[in-house]
Amino acid sequence: MNILIALLPAIGWGLIPLIVNKVPKSKPVNQILGVGIGAVLVGLIVTLIQRPSMNLQISLLAIVSGAFWTMGQVGQFLSFTRIGVSKTMPISTGFQLIGNTIIGVLIFGNWKTVYQYVLGILALILIVIGVSLTTVTKNGDSKKISSKDIMLLIFTSIGYWVYSTFPNAVKADAQALFLPQTIGILLGAVIYITFTKRLVTTIKQRATWLDVLAGLAFGIGAYSYIISAQMNGITSAFIYSQLSVIISTVGGMTILGEHKHGKELISTLVGLALIVVGAIL
């Protein structure tokens, strides 16, 4: 049972890119709003059942952190349209791991011994090499990765870093943070779409409501991660959750038809393996 709970975050998060890219006529504005709505639905259900004790000030900060997650997810959704899921996810995951690790070391002092520094730096090197390998593309590829694509993912990953490290910055029950963060995700989505001047149109579109399924997958994955951390410990929960990059990348190459062959395929698979090994280290 513990293993099943531990795998739910990987499954839920790994399915998000596959779901939104299978929805007909789905654009990033539909995807982020649909995810926000679905996430809030899961947050409301969990809160009504668990009834955690909530603090107004911390809840407001949690809403802000959720809005930052939207920033990261918008970056992914935009990147899907530019270079595809199977190229985006390994790069995005690598940047998240690197950023969260550096923040953990510099701000929260997660590494305290020489052994931890040696192992941690080795892990970061493996992740960087892994990300680099997944960017290998064949000549003539219409979705070849450019420096602009890399910069987009680096900049928007800042949102993921804020969201991921927020629970470490406050003393609060993770379940009490869950609903406010999902509200922040929806609020961030509304703000983003408002700036595109397509809010009313996006709400009315069928694709938005089909993309709610991706939001449910996110919400279930996020809440399962909280449960997994309590049952299996944060380290094991984190390692299992990183398997999501395998699901989304392999799913992109098979279910979404982003076929890779020869050197490109081998580089991607080796790169994925190095990212996962780096996450474990």
Side-chain angles (χ1 to χ4, degrees):
M1 187 60 162
N2 287 26
I3 298 297
L4 177 61
I5 295 295
L7 289 174
L8 281 177
I11 295 171
W13 295 339
L15 288 177
I16 292 173
L18 309 183
I19 293 171
V20 298
N21 280 275
K22 274 296 185 180
V23 172
K25 299 180 180 179
S26 178
K27 298 178 180 179
V29 287
N30 305 113
Q31 295 163 1
I32 197 61
L33 184 57
V35 167
I37 294 170
V40 168
L41 289 175
V42 176
L44 286 170
I45 293 170
V46 167
T47 302
L48 288 172
I49 294 173
Q50 298 295 334
R51 296 186 180 279
S53 177
M54 302 176 75
N55 174 283
L56 178 59
Q57 183 178 5
I58 292 178
S59 294
L60 290 175
L61 291 173
I63 289 174
V64 173
S65 76
F68 268 95
W69 182 90
T70 302
M71 172 184 173
Q73 194 60 44
V74 166
Q76 275 194 7
F77 287 156
L78 290 173
S79 189
F80 292 162
T81 65
R82 294 166 63 94
I83 60 176
V85 171
S86 61
K87 294 187 180 78
T88 297
M89 291 309 297
I91 299 172
S92 179
T93 300
F95 288 155
Q96 290 176 60
L97 289 169
I98 293 169
N100 288 340
T101 301
I102 292 174
I103 290 172
V105 173
L106 297 181
I107 297 179
F108 300 110
N110 289 347
W111 296 352
K112 301 183 185 301
T113 66
V114 173
Y115 175 75
Q116 288 175 324
Y117 272 93
V118 171
L119 208 59
I121 292 172
L122 174 61
L124 290 178
I125 292 172
L126 289 177
I127 292 169
V128 170
I129 295 173
V131 168
S132 300
L133 286 173
T134 64
T135 64
V136 173
T137 54
K138 61 184 178 182
N139 293 330
D141 190 340
S142 60
K143 291 190 174 182
K144 193 170 183 179
I145 301 169
S146 68
S147 57
K148 288 183 178 180
D149 299 318
I150 298 295
M151 291 307 299
L152 170 66
L153 287 172
I154 290 177
F155 176 73
T156 54
S157 289
I158 295 171
Y160 283 136
W161 301 341
V162 173
Y163 172 83
S164 299
T165 56
F166 175 74
N168 290 326
V170 298
K171 292 182 179 179
D173 180 5
Q175 296 197 34
L177 300 177
F178 186 60
L179 176 60
Q181 284 193 316
T182 60
I183 292 173
I185 289 170
L186 179 57
L187 179 62
V190 170
I191 292 172
Y192 168 71
I193 299 169
T194 299
F195 275 105
T196 68
K197 300 179 180 179
R198 290 182 288 176
L199 181 59
V200 176
T201 302
T202 303
I203 292 173
K204 293 179 179 179
Q205 290 174 334
R206 180 171 179 265
T208 297
W209 297 99
L210 290 176
D211 283 327
V212 169
L213 293 173
L216 297 176
F218 166 80
I220 292 170
Y223 186 65
S224 298
Y225 181 79
I226 294 173
I227 302 301
S228 178
Q230 293 172 345
M231 295 175 63
N232 304 305
I234 292 176
T235 302
S236 295
F238 176 77
I239 292 169
Y240 280 111
S241 73
Q242 294 312 298
L243 297 177
S244 61
V245 68
I246 297 178
I247 295 173
S248 56
T249 303
V250 175
M253 291 188 290
T254 54
I255 298 173
L256 301 181
E258 299 174 359
H259 301 299
K260 296 188 177 187
H261 305 281
K263 180 181 178 181
E264 188 182 17
L265 176 61
I266 294 172
S267 294
T268 297
L269 295 178
V270 172
L272 276 178
L274 290 178
I275 290 172
V276 173
V277 170
I280 293 171
L281 289 179

